[in-house]
Amino acid sequence: MSLGIASFSRFIAQMNDRVRTEDAEGLARWAVQDLSQTLGFDAAWYGWAQLLPEGVQIYANATVNLPDGFYDYWRTMSDQDLLARSMIENPGQTALYDRKQGRQTDGMVGLSDTFGLAKIITAMHGRPGRVTSFYLSSYRVGATGRAWSEEERDYLQCAVDHLSGAMKLTTTEPGRPNPAGAVTILVNENGMGILGLSALREQMGEIWPSWQGDHLPEQLSRLINLPGQHILPDRDLVVLVDQPPRFQGMGLRRLTLRRLNPVDMLTNREREVARALSDGKSHKEVARLLGLAPATVRNQTQSIYAKLGVDNRANLAAMVNQVRP
């Protein structure tokens, strides 16, 4: 496919459409597959990382058409990664490696020969020392792989930059917007923030006034491997931890944080009754829906009203809807 404004406009238009239906991992996977067809590469390695003076730190990653042991092998020679060194020395520019010419290290030669990676290009959105950024390494395999042109380098860097911006809009579950005032973030299995940390600091930073860096506060880090809803009354906060199956390969977790609402203090059964009543169902309809006696529903309704400090369904619905997605 020829490169140019028409090709790039198509990529951007399709990406913007997918933002509405894909999460960050799905959007990244689609983009890599699309770019592989447009630019003509055989394999790829992508994810989120941070460039540091001493090298690159990978926080979440996935591969396309590479063996399972690729990442483990890279870790053994990461201190000799010429691509990372090039991006540290030349921020904002793509980095190139050619097995047959240019600078070499034993580590790069070993990586190239082990996996047959003849021509490599890496693009990353971000600058050394800044927060975690998205990267994409693309590989042309075999001795006949052609060199990367200047046009291809520019195309890939622009695509990664735009993709990184789009992924900031994909932290929530597709089709389920957050309740008002809620913040959703993506983190890795060690509590390193991947997406959404800026929004969390902006909206809820005062909850942890001494919090600094890109790792979650310790109180949140303890929850990342405990799926489900957690109430933190000392912080006036509710945290929902989710790890969709599609995130497991990259080790990502999704955390949605919102302010504590009196509805959160109801029992599970009371919340079910409250939601059904808020939907306009009668006591008899709620009883049939939940398998309860009508008298039980009436008693629970009185308990719900007392706990929430309301005296009619309109006020109940307003309070329940505050915590609904």
Side-chain angles (χ1 to χ4, degrees):
M1 180 182 294
S2 63
L3 304 181
I5 294 178
S7 174
F8 195 73
S9 296
R10 176 200 59 81
F11 174 79
I12 295 299
Q14 291 188 12
M15 180 180 67
N16 289 339
D17 286 341
R18 287 178 176 270
V19 164
R20 304 184 184 96
T21 59
E22 299 275 8
D23 53 38
E25 192 278 337
L27 186 63
R29 186 173 61 251
W30 164 81
V32 172
Q33 293 171 345
D34 187 89
L35 290 169
S36 71
Q37 297 176 7
T38 301
L39 298 176
F41 53 83
D42 307 296
W45 179 37
Y46 64 95
W48 286 268
Q50 187 174 14
L51 291 177
L52 303 170
E54 61 273 19
V56 62
Q57 179 68 52
I58 305 295
Y59 295 123
N61 72 100
T63 59
V64 176
N65 295 334
L66 288 170
D68 291 340
F70 175 83
Y71 175 58
D72 289 335
Y73 188 100
W74 174 85
R75 292 176 63 186
T76 67
M77 51 71 61
S78 60
D79 60 333
Q80 299 183 50
D81 189 333
L82 294 174
L83 296 158
R85 180 53 51 190
S86 176
M87 288 188 293
I88 292 172
E89 295 172 352
N90 304 285
Q93 299 181 28
T94 55
L96 297 176
Y97 172 78
D98 189 324
R99 175 65 179 86
K100 298 301 182 181
Q101 59 186 357
R103 294 174 61 189
Q104 304 289 336
T105 63
D106 290 342
M108 290 300 298
V109 169
L111 184 75
S112 176
D113 290 351
T114 299
F115 299 99
L117 310 177
K119 305 289 192 301
I120 306 175
I121 183 172
T122 299
M124 186 174 190
H125 177 75
R127 299 292 184 270
R130 293 183 60 184
V131 296
T132 304
S133 301
F134 183 78
Y135 72 91
L136 169 58
S137 286
S138 305
Y139 308 105
R140 287 174 175 161
V141 175
T144 59
R146 72 179 190 277
W148 297 95
S149 70
E150 192 70 29
E151 186 180 28
E152 289 171 332
R153 295 177 63 177
D154 291 342
Y155 192 104
L156 183 63
Q157 184 63 59
C158 288
V160 167
D161 288 340
H162 281 79
L163 176 62
S164 297
M167 285 192 293
K168 295 178 182 178
L169 306 175
T170 62
T171 53
T172 59
E173 183 176 352
R176 296 191 63 185
N178 274 338
V183 178
T184 295
I185 61 175
L186 294 185
V187 301
N188 74 357
E189 56 196 355
N190 297 317
M192 171 61 72
I194 302 298
L195 290 172
L197 233 57
S198 296
L200 180 60
R201 291 186 193 280
E202 180 179 338
Q203 297 189 40
M204 299 183 178
E206 78 283 357
I207 297 177
W208 300 279
S210 60
W211 173 35
Q212 296 180 349
D214 299 325
H215 278 92
L216 291 183
E218 183 179 354
Q219 190 174 27
L220 293 180
S221 292
R222 292 197 296 265
L223 302 178
I224 59 177
N225 293 314
L226 301 173
Q229 179 172 290
H230 306 273
I231 296 177
L232 307 180
D234 61 319
R235 304 291 184 177
D236 192 32
L237 201 64
V238 175
V239 182
L240 179 63
V241 180
D242 183 25
Q243 187 184 12
R246 59 189 174 279
F247 281 7
Q248 292 178 4
M250 299 186 78
L252 295 177
R253 277 82 167 140
R254 180 169 55 212
L255 276 65
T256 300
L257 299 88
R258 60 174 174 80
R259 300 292 183 176
L260 190 66
N261 183 291
V263 174
D264 297 310
M265 306 311 293
L266 300 177
T267 66
N268 289 337
R269 177 62 79 186
E270 286 173 340
R271 280 197 293 272
E272 290 177 335
V273 171
R275 290 178 185 131
L277 293 173
S278 298
D279 290 336
K281 291 181 170 57
S282 67
H283 284 150
K284 289 184 178 180
E285 290 172 329
V286 175
R288 285 196 298 269
L289 177 67
L290 301 179
L292 301 173
T296 300
V297 174
R298 285 193 292 271
N299 290 336
Q300 290 201 336
T301 300
Q302 293 177 359
S303 174
I304 292 167
Y305 279 14
K307 288 183 178 181
L308 300 184
V310 299
D311 57 8
N312 59 67
R313 290 199 183 195
N315 290 337
L316 172 65
M319 191 166 288
V320 169
N321 289 335
Q322 288 179 5
V323 297
R324 274 184 168 173

